[in-house]
Amino acid sequence: VAPRRSIFRPCIDLHEGQVKQIVGGTLSDSNPAALKTNFIASQSPGDFARLYKRHDLRGGHIIKLGPGNDDAAREALAAWPGGLQIGGGVTDANAQEWLDAGASKAIVTSYLFPAGKFSLERLQAISRTVGKDRLVVDVSCRRRGDKWLVAMNKWQDITDMEVCKESLDLLSDYCRQFLVHAADVEGLCQGIDEDLVKRLGEWVTLPTTYAGGAKHINDLSLVGRLSGGKVDLTYGSALDIFGGTLVNFEDLVQVPHGLREACG
């Protein structure tokens, strides 16, 4: 069997009801003026979902960054039922509602960390509610010294969980995939966190998507080399469909995908 290749996973980031590309480290409830926005789309969320559907780019994610995004998210899900995952404000109380609205999987972070402390009970509860196969745990993180700590609440608050083999092994008992935004480099187009991608390749046993800093079409093969094909890559602000100048979407979707397994 040929070794697995890392593949491109698309995204739809929603902020105030619009598709945007934001510098992840600038989201702040206490200082909204600090927000740095790279791109605001004139196209609708549904337009992006239809574009991804046309190219059969499964396993992508919709992330709701704060309030005012539910209608936009439902529009995207309706445009490609079963084609996209959804995260942002997902709890055990509303996860099934989003799956019913057309999400392939529910993505959870902040709900798992009341007051910034990991709750195994909450993870077990949401896994029971939606089923392990429909749950993605988002272990988006910020670097602190030589470690990465999970960041919640639009990446503003650092939790007590280190991203490492032990924590990922624990989480993997209750979910089917991981999503990892490297919040320190998100939206900067200055390169991926190579150290993190390499470690994820050593640690993960589940399908994993990394997002943050991708700036060149060859970053896809770089992630593949660093992770041994275990980690997939999301491009954001570098892509021309998001106003970027560094990576052409049509070129990217032509990159050979190797084993193109269904990974909704």
Side-chain angles (χ1 to χ4, degrees):
V1 177
R4 186 188 183 281
R5 293 188 189 209
S6 298
I7 65 175
F8 165 53
R9 302 288 189 195
C11 67
I12 299 175
D13 292 345
L14 298 174
H15 184 256
E16 296 177 341
Q18 294 176 288
V19 178
K20 298 185 183 181
Q21 283 292 308
I22 284 169
V23 178
T26 66
L27 283 159
S28 172
D29 290 336
S30 60
N31 184 18
L35 181 70
K36 186 173 188 307
T37 302
N38 288 337
F39 174 75
I40 302 176
S42 57
Q43 305 97 315
S44 72
D47 289 335
F48 284 94
R50 283 183 285 272
L51 174 66
Y52 302 155
K53 180 180 181 181
R54 192 157 66 244
H55 292 279
D56 197 32
L57 296 170
R58 296 180 179 274
H61 53 271
I62 302 167
I63 299 294
K64 299 184 291 138
L65 295 167
N69 294 305
D70 285 0
D71 289 346
R74 288 193 182 94
E75 178 194 322
L77 293 173
W80 192 12
L84 292 159
Q85 305 167 359
I86 191 160
V90 170
T91 70
D92 70 333
N94 63 25
Q96 188 60 51
E97 175 186 329
W98 286 110
L99 296 176
D100 293 343
S104 61
K105 290 181 174 61
I107 304 168
V108 64
T109 308
S110 299
Y111 168 74
L112 301 180
F113 295 92
K117 309 287 189 205
F118 173 66
S119 167
L120 179 60
E121 293 77 16
R122 287 194 173 195
L123 175 60
Q124 291 169 330
I126 194 169
S127 184
R128 278 194 308 269
T129 298
V130 302
K132 175 178 177 176
D133 288 346
R134 304 291 298 275
L135 188 65
V136 179
V137 174
D138 183 339
V139 285
S140 295
C141 55
R142 288 182 176 272
R143 193 165 187 161
R144 293 293 183 264
D146 60 351
K147 298 179 180 179
W148 293 270
L149 299 178
V150 175
M152 56 176 264
N153 186 23
K154 302 189 293 292
W155 312 313
Q156 296 172 97
D157 301 326
I158 301 297
T159 73
D160 65 347
M161 177 175 279
E162 180 183 348
V163 180
C164 60
K165 178 169 173 44
E166 290 73 24
S167 61
L168 294 172
D169 282 349
L170 170 64
L171 296 170
S172 67
D173 286 338
Y174 301 96
C175 68
R176 184 55 67 206
Q177 292 181 32
F178 294 123
L179 175 62
V180 185
H181 289 87
D184 296 315
V185 297
E186 174 82 12
L188 296 179
C189 298
Q190 294 176 1
I192 63 170
D193 185 337
E194 295 188 21
D195 293 338
L196 176 58
V197 171
K198 185 172 186 296
R199 300 311 294 271
L200 289 171
E202 296 167 0
W203 294 333
V204 298
T205 58
L206 297 180
T208 299
T209 296
Y210 166 93
K215 65 176 183 176
H216 194 283
I217 196 166
N218 290 341
D219 282 341
L220 187 54
S221 58
L222 173 61
V223 167
R225 286 198 305 275
L226 291 170
S227 71
K230 289 185 175 181
V231 175
D232 295 327
L233 179 62
T234 292
Y235 286 78
S237 295
L239 269 180
D240 57 353
I241 61 169
F242 295 129
T245 60
L246 300 175
V247 182
N248 179 271
F249 176 82
E250 295 295 336
D251 290 344
L252 183 60
V253 298
Q254 298 306 317
V255 174
H257 274 145
L259 295 180
R260 183 79 174 266
E261 75 273 26
C263 191

